[in-house]
């Protein structure tokens, strides 16, 4: 494993910010029962964020500062939602289904993972992209290449989830409702939708009220999808 001391300072600083995020995710994992729906998603997301941290150290991205900024702001939205739920504050609509059904005995781990990814990609990612562009005084075109590289990580995540959480072939066949539910959602389509939503939100950035209404509509729509993904089976 490459140590911080072996890489340029910019990589070390960028990775350190992501490192604080992964440390918080590990704390969440230690505090929650393994079968808790939030814990299931947290484990999945932690593995991706750790991989992002390593790729930043190794210089995998064209703009490490922008990617580190995006990765940190992106993860912070999930961590803020967890903290809001724990302290009784209002959470984004996209996360409410997962918090509501997190202990439901008839919801399977794969559903928890997909519902969390749906909320995070469909809602949190477009807003994190907007926040990153504002923070760095950059435009969408400047983030697109590294967004695609992050997309490669997310695609690997989907494969990992299906391998680890999907029941074996003896337990899952075409008649199982989970087969149809899983087949109705695609990370690739969600990622494409997130980029389109980001471009729309960015185009509305000077129109405060309209921007807020559009963001709220996105939150509600993603929340409806999450509720369907968590249908007890």
């Amino acid at each position: 494993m490459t140590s911080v001391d072996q890489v340029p300072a910019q990589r070390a600083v960028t990775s350190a910010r992501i490192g604080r995020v992964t440390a918080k995710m590990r704390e969440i994992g230690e505090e929650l029962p393994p079968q808790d729906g939030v814990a299931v998603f947290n484990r999945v997301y932690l593995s991706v964020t750790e991989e992002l941290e390593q790729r930043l150290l190794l210089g995998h991205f064209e703009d490490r500062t922008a990617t580190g900024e995006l990765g940190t702001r992106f993860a912070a939205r999930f961590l803020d939602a967890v903290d809001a739920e724990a302290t009784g504050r209002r959470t984004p609509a996209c996360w409410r289904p997962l918090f509501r059904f997190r202990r439901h005995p008839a919801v399977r781990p794969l559903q928890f993972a997909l519902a969390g990814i749906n909320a995070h990609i469909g809602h949190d990612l477009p807003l994190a992209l907007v926040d990153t562009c504002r923070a760095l005084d950059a435009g969408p075109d400047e983030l697109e290449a590294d967004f695609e590289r992050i997309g490669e990580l997310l695609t690997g995540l989907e494969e990992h989830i299906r391998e680890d959480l999907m029941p074996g072939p003896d337990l899952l066949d075409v008649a199982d409702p989970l087969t149809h539910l899983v087949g109705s959602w695609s990370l690739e389509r969600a990622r494409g939708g997130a980029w389109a939503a980001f471009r729309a939100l960015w185009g509305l950035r000077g129109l405060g009220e309209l921007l807020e209404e559009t963001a709220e509509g996105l939150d509600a729509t993603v929340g409806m999808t999450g509720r369907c993904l968590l249908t007890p089976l």
Side-chain angles (χ1 to χ4, degrees):
M1 182 180 295
T2 304
S3 72
V4 170
D5 294 334
Q6 294 172 317
V7 298
Q10 184 189 34
R11 296 189 200 175
V13 170
T14 301
S15 180
R17 294 189 63 195
I18 295 293
R20 289 193 288 271
V21 168
T22 56
K24 179 59 178 177
M25 289 182 189
R26 292 188 192 99
E27 289 179 13
I28 291 173
E30 292 170 356
E31 294 169 355
L32 296 177
Q35 68 273 18
D36 182 285
V38 175
V40 172
F41 170 71
N42 185 72
R43 286 195 298 274
V44 168
Y45 190 30
L46 174 60
S47 67
V48 175
T49 310
E50 288 174 332
E51 179 66 20
L52 174 62
E53 183 180 3
Q54 286 304 304
R55 292 194 184 194
L56 284 167
L57 281 169
L58 297 172
H60 179 75
F61 299 97
E62 288 185 8
D63 187 337
R64 290 183 294 273
T65 299
T67 303
E69 185 77 21
L70 174 59
T72 302
R73 289 178 178 274
F74 184 34
R77 287 188 172 270
F78 163 61
L79 298 177
D80 287 347
V82 172
D83 184 61
E85 169 68 10
T87 55
R89 291 179 287 119
R90 185 176 177 83
T91 62
C94 62
W95 286 106
R96 287 174 207 157
L98 181 58
F99 292 136
R100 178 183 176 187
F101 288 89
R102 62 194 294 177
R103 298 181 183 89
H104 198 296
V107 177
R108 305 188 196 181
L110 178 60
Q111 293 175 261
F112 290 135
L114 291 182
I117 295 170
N118 171 71
H120 205 38
I121 299 295
H123 173 262
D124 293 353
L125 183 53
L127 296 182
L129 283 161
V130 170
D131 290 344
T132 300
C133 282
R134 283 174 165 167
L136 300 177
D137 193 21
D141 292 346
E142 296 171 69
L143 293 183
E144 189 167 9
D146 285 337
F147 173 84
E148 292 300 328
R149 285 185 170 83
I150 291 176
E152 295 172 8
L153 279 176
L154 296 174
T155 300
L157 164 64
E158 185 176 34
E159 295 172 358
H160 176 72
I161 288 172
R162 293 177 189 271
E163 289 175 1
D164 287 4
L165 299 180
M166 194 76 140
D170 57 328
L171 301 176
L172 186 65
D173 57 35
V174 292
D176 192 312
L178 184 61
T179 304
H180 299 279
L181 187 144
V182 171
S184 70
W185 191 88
S186 162
L187 189 147
E188 185 63 27
R189 291 196 298 269
R191 193 168 64 88
W195 183 259
F198 156 55
R199 294 297 298 259
L201 292 170
W202 184 249
L204 296 172
R205 65 190 182 281
L207 305 173
E209 185 174 342
L210 184 56
L211 174 63
E212 184 176 344
E213 289 179 0
T214 303
E216 289 177 356
L218 176 66
D219 189 19
T221 300
V222 173
M224 284 193 295
T225 302
R227 175 62 185 84
C228 291
L229 288 171
L230 292 170
T231 300
L233 301 177

